[in-house]
Amino acid sequence: MGRVVAAALLACILLPVACVRGRNITTILSGYKEYKLYNKYLSETKVCDEINDRQSTSMTILVLRDAAMSTLVSDAGDSLPAIKNALRLLAVLDYYDRKKVKKYGGERADTLFQATGDAVSATGNVRVTDVEDGAYGFASATAGADVSSVTKEVKTQPFRFAILELDAPIEFDGLFDTPSTANLTRLLERAGCKTFATLVAGNPGVLKDYEAAMETGLTLFAPNDAAFMAKGGVPDVTKMSSANVSALLRYHALPAYYPKPSLKAVKKDAALLTLAAKKTISVKANGDDVGLEAGGSKSRVADTVVDKAPFCLMTVDKLLVPAELAVAQAPSPAPAPAPSTSERRPADAPSDEAADHAADHHKAKKSTSSDSASSRPVGAAFAAAVGSVVLAAAVL
């Protein structure tokens, strides 16, 4: 009985933690029609993956009804990267509700924009403000910023996770500024990927495909310069055909927007389609480490250079080489050395010098034999004569 009670108590303790770890912001908000537009942009900008990735962090998500969200979209010029900045600013990295604010008063709090965006200094923070009559709100930490009031506590899990509705978006000058991606090859060079940039610049067709995909969805894995000088399994790009270079470049790009948190959310062993025809890569995430596998090659995401939805540029530490391209670039076996004259001849065959010597010896032997044959009758007659004399002497 005691064990059952202990197990029940343990379950009660662990259940909230399990719920927090399994939270999915878009799934939660799907049950609220008034936040449909807000939820749509959470998905399109992939801010939802950044929120879901912080399961162990206390967070407060500030949501907007469709009318207020439409205002934010209009203020951002309908720019997805700018909207992403604003949604990151609405994801506060701490827990807040009415009771906490009334008890402890206002303070500054970090946001996803400060942690992962392009914020400078305090511009990525928000200020929590206690207002009279039990109200409270949030504003940009910049001086003189307007306060957006909390109109509804949608969901609260004390000191772990909260969803609060605001009456207006939080904005400040510079919030919607985003990095320029007008010159892709220059971005690559500045990121320490000069070799890759040179290859891209030398393949206008690939560069055109990259630039077109940047408007709809592109994730580019750019190998750093050291990756091209690694030993073992790295093809010599200077000796590759133009078609193979183009295939290699397209193999390092996904025709979809996958910032690092989204890559971490990819299901295990799932294959992601690349710009190379029917070629895929797989993602192996371990904590904050994101590995990539393609054919027999493995690489790792090193840094995020640009995250401007729907375009993301990341550097990788090794080259991704499709299996068939690796085979095509494998060094051919060295040709066997031409056999020497003696090696081409059967083991029992004489050398040319020996053959000449044997021929001369044969001629000499033949000549001697002929002489012996011609002198044989004279020798025989002489021997017969000597024999006759000896016999006569013996008779006498």
Side-chain angles (χ1 to χ4, degrees):
M1 183 67 179
R3 291 182 179 179
V4 174
V5 173
L9 290 173
L10 182 61
C12 291
I13 294 171
L14 295 179
L15 184 58
V17 176
C19 291
V20 170
R21 288 179 179 173
R23 72 191 180 207
N24 184 306
I25 185 61
T26 53
T27 299
I28 295 171
L29 292 179
S30 65
Y32 300 87
K33 294 182 179 179
E34 59 268 39
Y35 310 128
K36 183 177 180 180
L37 190 60
Y38 179 94
N39 207 19
K40 170 181 176 289
Y41 280 105
L42 274 186
S43 296
E44 290 187 8
T45 60
K46 304 294 185 181
V47 171
C48 57
D49 291 330
E50 295 182 7
I51 293 172
N52 295 339
D53 188 46
R54 292 175 175 264
Q55 296 290 329
S56 60
T57 303
S58 295
M59 295 190 73
T60 300
I61 309 303
L62 306 175
V63 300
L64 302 170
R65 286 178 173 265
D66 286 353
M69 187 64 200
S70 294
T71 299
L72 187 154
V73 172
S74 177
D75 292 346
D78 205 20
S79 165
L80 202 60
I83 294 170
K84 182 166 187 173
N85 283 355
L87 291 179
R88 280 172 160 174
L89 187 66
L90 295 176
V92 184
L93 302 180
D94 203 347
Y95 175 83
Y96 292 97
D97 61 12
R98 189 184 309 274
K99 290 182 178 180
K100 179 181 177 180
V101 175
K102 291 300 177 182
K103 183 175 183 179
Y104 297 104
E107 60 183 14
R108 283 189 176 186
D110 290 336
T111 68
L112 276 181
F113 184 55
Q114 176 70 32
T116 60
D118 301 301
V120 178
S121 188
T123 57
N125 293 337
V126 292
R127 178 167 43 89
V128 188
T129 305
D130 182 13
V131 185
E132 294 180 358
D133 301 325
Y136 67 110
F138 294 80
S140 166
T142 56
D146 294 335
V147 177
S148 297
S149 299
V150 175
T151 53
K152 181 181 179 181
E153 292 185 343
V154 180
K155 182 180 180 66
T156 59
Q157 187 179 1
F159 303 101
R160 295 297 300 171
F161 184 67
I163 298 177
L164 310 178
E165 178 188 288
L166 296 183
D167 64 348
I170 300 174
E171 298 179 6
F172 61 86
D173 289 340
L175 173 63
F176 300 125
D177 295 342
T178 58
S180 173
T181 55
N183 193 322
L184 179 57
T185 54
R186 183 173 296 177
L187 284 174
L188 290 170
E189 289 175 355
R190 289 176 177 175
C193 306
K194 293 183 179 180
T195 302
F196 191 75
T198 300
L199 293 176
V200 172
N203 286 265
V206 173
L207 179 57
K208 185 177 180 181
D209 288 348
Y210 281 176
E211 291 175 339
M214 286 168 65
E215 300 298 322
T216 56
L218 178 69
T219 302
L220 188 57
F221 302 114
N224 56 35
D225 290 337
F228 287 90
M229 297 183 288
K231 296 180 179 179
V234 178
D236 185 348
V237 293
T238 64
K239 297 180 181 179
M240 292 173 65
S241 67
S242 177
N244 283 348
V245 171
S246 296
L248 185 68
L249 294 176
R250 288 189 170 92
Y251 202 59
H252 284 77
L254 305 177
Y257 176 51
Y258 279 98
K260 191 173 181 180
S262 299
L263 288 175
K264 292 166 65 176
V266 172
K267 292 182 179 179
K268 186 178 180 181
D269 298 325
L272 301 180
L273 191 67
T274 69
L275 277 181
K278 298 181 181 180
K279 306 303 178 188
T280 62
I281 62 174
S282 59
V283 180
K284 305 290 184 182
N286 182 14
D288 199 49
D289 189 67
V290 176
L292 305 173
E293 293 187 9
S297 59
K298 296 181 180 181
S299 189
R300 185 184 63 85
V301 173
D303 297 298
T304 297
V305 180
V306 174
D307 182 359
K308 183 180 179 181
F311 167 61
C312 189
L313 169 60
M314 289 176 273
T315 59
V316 292
D317 59 1
K318 292 183 181 178
L319 216 58
L320 293 169
V321 185
E324 64 277 9
L325 189 55
V327 171
Q329 295 300 313
S332 302
S340 63
T341 305
S342 59
E343 290 175 333
R344 291 197 300 266
R345 194 175 289 106
D348 57 349
S351 64
D352 293 340
E353 183 179 354
D356 293 341
H357 179 72
D360 293 341
H361 178 71
H362 178 69
K363 289 179 181 179
K365 184 176 181 181
K366 184 176 181 182
S367 175
T368 305
S369 300
S370 299
D371 293 343
S372 299
S374 60
S375 61
R376 211 170 271 149
V378 176
F382 177 76
V386 172
S388 299
V389 174
V390 171
L391 182 59
V395 172
L396 293 173

